[in-house]
Amino acid sequence: MKDFKEISNKINEYIEEKKEKRGQFQKLEETLKKRTQARYINEVYKENQNSSIKKEKAKKTHLNKIKKSNQNLKNKIQSYSIIPKSLKREKASKIFPKKIFRSLNIFSIKERIKFPVFLKKKKSTGKSFKIKVFAGAFSIIMIILSFLYILDNMTAYKVFFNGEEIGIVKDPESVLYLTDLLDEKLDIAYDADIIINEDNLKFEQIRSLKLEITPDDELLNHFTYFSNLEAKSYSVLINGEEVALFSRKEEAEKFLEEIKNTYIQEDDETIEYGKIYFLENVAIEEKETGLSTLSDFDSSLKYVLKGTKEEKSYKVKKGENYWTIAEKYNITPEELEAANPTVNPERIQIGQEISLIVPKPLVTVVSLEKKKYYERIPYEVTYENTGALFKGENEIKLRGKYGEKEILAEITRQNGIETSRKELESKVIEEPRTQVVLVGTKALPPLIGTGTFDEPARGRLTSRFGIRWGRMHSGIDIAAATGTTIRAADGGVVTYTGWKGNYGLTVIIDHGQNKSTLYAHCSKILVNKGDKVYKGKKIAEIGSTGRSTGPHVHFEVQVNGKAQNPLNYVNY
């Protein structure tokens, strides 16, 4: 760049000197002309002024002499014979004596008539000398200018960019004039704001009679072939550390917006977002860099959100879920969910690929939002004593009902996780209803078998004891709604609770005297093995677990380990 500036300065100095000399020459020429004309006019004027009187007298005297001479000549000519026209001067001289010609002096008279001596201009030797000097100086200047013109046409400059020759130009400045065009052309070619660093441009002066000047279009095209071009770029900084680099400022701004949008629920109409900002110091900084160092948008976004460029995935196998996979890799199910925000943990399939990288974002997005939502109002519970129930038994007399209220709250989140909630206003939509519970006061019956059985549940008899569908059905089925209470047919000790093959959830009670009862297909078991129960004690709820065609309780009576017909002990 320094060489170019020196050459450019020399060229400018030469042009200025040339203009200055040409101006001086023109001024000299005009001055000489004015002086010459003025001096000549002044001399003539002075001569005319000084000799105006003499001239008038001389003219009169001379005219008088001419008149007399002419008259004498006419008189003498008439005295001789007329001279033929074809007569030559030599013959005329013979006819007319020399004395006559001498006396007449016709030619001298003629010259004197046309060019009087006193009217002739006198040549000025000073004026002639100055004209000659001026002509000589002008010739020298023209020779110098011609030489410079020829030298200028022989001079050109090789253009080098990054050490490589890209063309020949007449004027180094013309290359700089093309930078705007170059920027536009390269911006389109590389989709970036290309910078042509003038420090990388070098010029070498050459002289030749045959110069091949590179056209502007060809010169422009040379730049598109360079891979080491620098571009104006925009760096995304988090706490001063560069995490991404883009060619456009708009792209860098979009990158930051995408990070924010990751934690924003745009489709939720109940949320009104306020301020959204980064907890860290995040900035966009302009810089110059090589084209090869620009970042990929999606890869950079993934890196910032995960906090690492490491990729580690796992394919779900048969029988696995989030809990077993999390335990296998020593992470929590919550962290596994955070690593796969788009995956539903309840619906993962065999062969599905999930990420095992627990995200640790490089940046924290803080969002302030106003959210309108509905919340249940809990109901109160009151108790009433009743002798209809045994001690320790409860029964709901009036079921309670939750109330509902509308709440407007301000919620602060960091990367989508709630950190604080402030209730701004609330409005009750429906008041809660109090629940009334009956508490038994009747004395408990004996915790041993009485030898008689009561019905285990209220319902409809749907299947009897005996052969059914070609197989022995060792009990009876009482159909009722799921959740209906199952009670102990008699007092005794619980000997089994849990899953029992086709029976599903099952309870077995030993009543003593080698008698026992079985309650199968339960939806819920309310007692434990070893518990002592009395007749009518709630032990389970009706369901449809195991091999079942619908909600019911399968009831069996066994004596000495053999199934008996339950209808011989209970009435349905």
Side-chain angles (χ1 to χ4, degrees):
M1 186 63 191
K2 291 181 179 179
D3 295 341
F4 167 73
K5 287 183 177 179
E6 290 177 0
I7 293 169
S8 178
N9 291 334
K10 287 180 181 179
I11 291 171
N12 289 332
E13 288 175 4
Y14 163 70
I15 292 171
E16 292 298 325
E17 286 179 6
K18 199 162 153 182
K19 287 181 179 179
E20 188 177 351
K21 287 181 180 180
R22 186 175 293 174
Q24 291 175 355
F25 170 77
Q26 289 176 350
K27 287 180 180 179
L28 178 61
E29 185 179 13
E30 290 175 0
T31 304
L32 288 172
K33 283 182 180 180
K34 289 178 180 179
R35 287 181 179 179
T36 303
Q37 290 175 356
R39 186 174 294 173
Y40 175 77
I41 291 168
N42 190 36
E43 287 177 358
V44 171
Y45 178 77
K46 284 180 179 180
E47 285 180 2
N48 291 336
Q49 284 286 9
N50 294 331
S51 61
S52 58
I53 298 171
K54 293 179 181 180
K55 286 179 181 179
E56 288 297 327
K57 291 181 179 180
K59 281 181 182 180
K60 289 180 181 179
T61 305
H62 186 66
L63 288 173
N64 290 330
K65 287 181 179 180
I66 290 171
K67 285 180 181 180
K68 288 180 179 180
S69 298
N70 288 340
Q71 188 62 38
N72 293 331
L73 181 61
K74 285 180 182 180
N75 294 331
K76 288 182 178 182
I77 288 171
Q78 286 177 0
S79 64
Y80 295 94
S81 60
I82 298 172
I83 300 173
K85 291 181 179 180
S86 59
L87 189 66
K88 294 182 181 180
R89 189 171 181 179
E90 294 177 358
K91 293 181 179 180
S93 63
K94 292 179 180 179
I95 295 171
F96 297 98
K98 290 180 181 181
K99 292 181 180 181
I100 297 173
F101 280 99
R102 285 175 184 171
S103 62
L104 291 175
N105 199 5
I106 296 171
F107 296 104
S108 64
I109 292 170
K110 187 177 180 182
E111 285 179 5
R112 290 175 70 180
I113 291 171
K114 286 186 177 182
F115 306 105
V117 174
F118 61 86
L119 289 176
K120 286 185 180 181
K121 298 178 182 178
K122 295 181 180 179
K123 292 182 181 180
S124 176
T125 56
K127 176 182 174 183
S128 175
F129 175 74
K130 288 179 181 180
I131 291 172
K132 287 179 180 180
V133 171
F134 171 77
F138 180 77
S139 299
I140 292 170
I141 291 171
M142 290 304 296
I143 290 169
I144 293 170
L145 291 175
S146 300
F147 173 75
L148 292 175
Y149 176 77
I150 294 169
L151 186 64
D152 183 59
N153 285 335
M154 291 173 60
T155 304
Y157 298 87
K158 284 185 179 181
V159 184
F160 296 87
F161 184 70
N162 289 335
E164 185 174 340
E165 184 180 344
I166 62 172
I168 298 174
V169 296
K170 283 293 295 178
D171 186 1
E173 290 188 5
S174 65
V175 178
L176 301 179
Y177 295 150
L178 290 174
T179 53
D180 291 339
L181 295 175
L182 286 169
D183 286 343
E184 293 178 8
K185 189 178 182 70
L186 296 174
D187 286 355
I188 295 170
Y190 292 101
D191 190 27
D193 192 0
I194 302 299
I195 297 172
I196 298 178
N197 195 336
E198 294 182 2
D199 292 337
N200 296 332
L201 279 171
K202 304 294 180 185
F203 299 92
E204 181 184 316
Q205 189 181 57
I206 59 172
R207 288 191 177 94
S208 176
L209 292 173
K210 293 182 179 180
L211 293 174
E212 294 183 4
I213 304 302
T214 306
D216 290 349
D217 290 343
E218 186 177 336
L219 193 65
L220 290 172
N221 288 332
H222 275 292
F223 282 91
T224 61
Y225 301 136
F226 289 101
S227 59
N228 57 346
L229 286 172
E230 289 191 345
K232 184 187 291 184
S233 59
Y234 297 87
S235 175
V236 178
L237 303 174
I238 298 176
N239 289 336
E241 184 179 348
E242 183 177 283
V243 296
L245 189 65
F246 301 105
S247 61
R248 306 285 181 190
K249 187 176 182 180
E250 295 80 7
E251 193 175 9
E253 291 172 346
K254 182 183 176 183
F255 179 77
L256 295 180
E257 285 301 314
E258 284 294 321
I259 295 174
K260 291 179 180 179
N261 292 337
T262 303
Y263 305 104
I264 302 303
Q265 303 175 29
E266 295 181 349
D267 298 333
D268 194 339
E269 296 180 355
T270 64
I271 298 176
E272 180 184 340
Y273 284 98
K275 188 177 180 181
I276 301 172
Y277 61 95
F278 295 109
L279 191 62
E280 295 78 8
N281 182 20
V282 178
I284 297 174
E285 190 175 280
E286 184 179 323
K287 62 184 294 188
E288 294 180 12
T289 186
L291 288 172
S292 58
T293 61
L294 296 177
S295 303
D296 177 71
F297 189 94
D298 293 335
S299 299
S300 299
L301 183 63
K302 196 177 292 184
Y303 166 63
V304 171
L305 294 177
K306 283 192 172 183
T308 178
K309 293 182 179 179
E310 182 186 0
E311 290 291 341
K312 189 177 181 181
S313 60
Y314 178 79
K315 286 188 178 181
V316 179
K317 297 177 182 178
K318 186 178 180 180
E320 290 184 323
N321 54 43
Y322 263 31
W323 289 265
T324 59
I325 296 171
E327 185 179 2
K328 185 176 181 179
Y329 287 95
N330 198 27
I331 58 177
T332 65
E334 291 75 17
E335 289 175 332
L336 196 57
E337 284 187 46
N340 302 274
T342 60
V343 178
N344 187 345
E346 302 295 331
R347 296 184 179 180
I348 59 171
Q349 300 176 354
I350 298 171
Q352 184 173 354
E353 197 170 279
I354 59 174
S355 175
L356 296 176
I357 301 299
V358 179
K360 295 178 181 178
L362 301 179
V363 69
T364 305
V365 178
V366 180
S367 62
L368 300 178
E369 61 186 57
K370 289 183 180 179
K371 181 178 176 64
K372 184 183 288 185
Y373 58 95
Y374 296 90
E375 191 176 83
R376 291 197 308 180
I377 304 174
Y379 55 79
E380 294 182 355
V381 180
T382 61
Y383 298 91
E384 293 180 4
N385 294 329
T386 177
L389 299 174
F390 293 110
K391 288 180 180 180
E393 287 187 335
N394 297 325
E395 189 176 291
I396 296 174
K397 178 182 178 180
L398 180 64
R399 191 170 295 278
K401 185 179 180 182
Y402 289 100
E404 188 179 44
K405 64 179 178 179
E406 182 184 79
I407 298 174
L408 178 64
E410 184 179 70
I411 303 171
T412 302
R413 299 181 190 273
Q414 291 187 2
N415 287 350
I417 299 172
E418 183 176 327
T419 56
S420 67
R421 181 184 292 251
K422 180 182 177 182
E423 188 174 304
L424 300 177
E425 55 183 62
S426 64
K427 181 174 65 175
V428 176
I429 305 299
E430 185 179 359
E431 293 287 352
R433 185 175 65 197
T434 303
Q435 180 169 288
V436 180
V437 179
L438 297 176
V439 180
T441 59
K442 188 168 62 172
L444 293 173
L447 299 178
I448 58 174
T450 62
T452 61
F453 298 129
D454 287 345
E455 292 79 8
R458 292 179 181 179
R460 180 171 55 89
L461 181 66
T462 57
S463 184
R464 295 177 179 274
F465 177 85
I467 301 299
R468 186 184 66 170
W469 304 328
R471 292 187 303 175
M472 181 63 186
H473 185 237
S474 56
I476 61 174
D477 293 340
I478 297 112
T482 299
T484 302
T485 300
I486 301 174
R487 297 181 182 276
D490 197 4
V493 179
V494 177
T495 59
Y496 183 89
T497 59
W499 193 272
K500 192 174 178 64
N502 292 337
Y503 284 133
L505 290 176
T506 303
V507 176
I508 299 176
I509 302 174
D510 181 8
H511 303 286
Q513 304 175 4
N514 295 323
K515 293 179 182 178
S516 64
T517 53
L518 179 146
Y519 313 82
H521 306 303
C522 303
S523 63
K524 188 178 183 181
I525 294 174
L526 305 176
V527 291
N528 297 311
K529 183 180 179 180
D531 287 351
K532 292 181 178 181
V533 297
Y534 53 84
K535 183 187 286 188
K537 168 82 173 172
K538 186 176 180 180
I539 60 172
E541 292 179 359
I542 285 179
S544 186
T545 57
R547 189 175 180 182
S548 171
T549 57
H552 71 283
V553 59
H554 174 78
F555 177 61
E556 291 185 9
V557 176
Q558 295 183 357
V559 178
N560 295 322
K562 292 183 180 180
Q564 305 294 319
N565 188 351
L567 293 178
N568 293 333
Y569 300 90
V570 295
N571 297 317
Y572 278 100

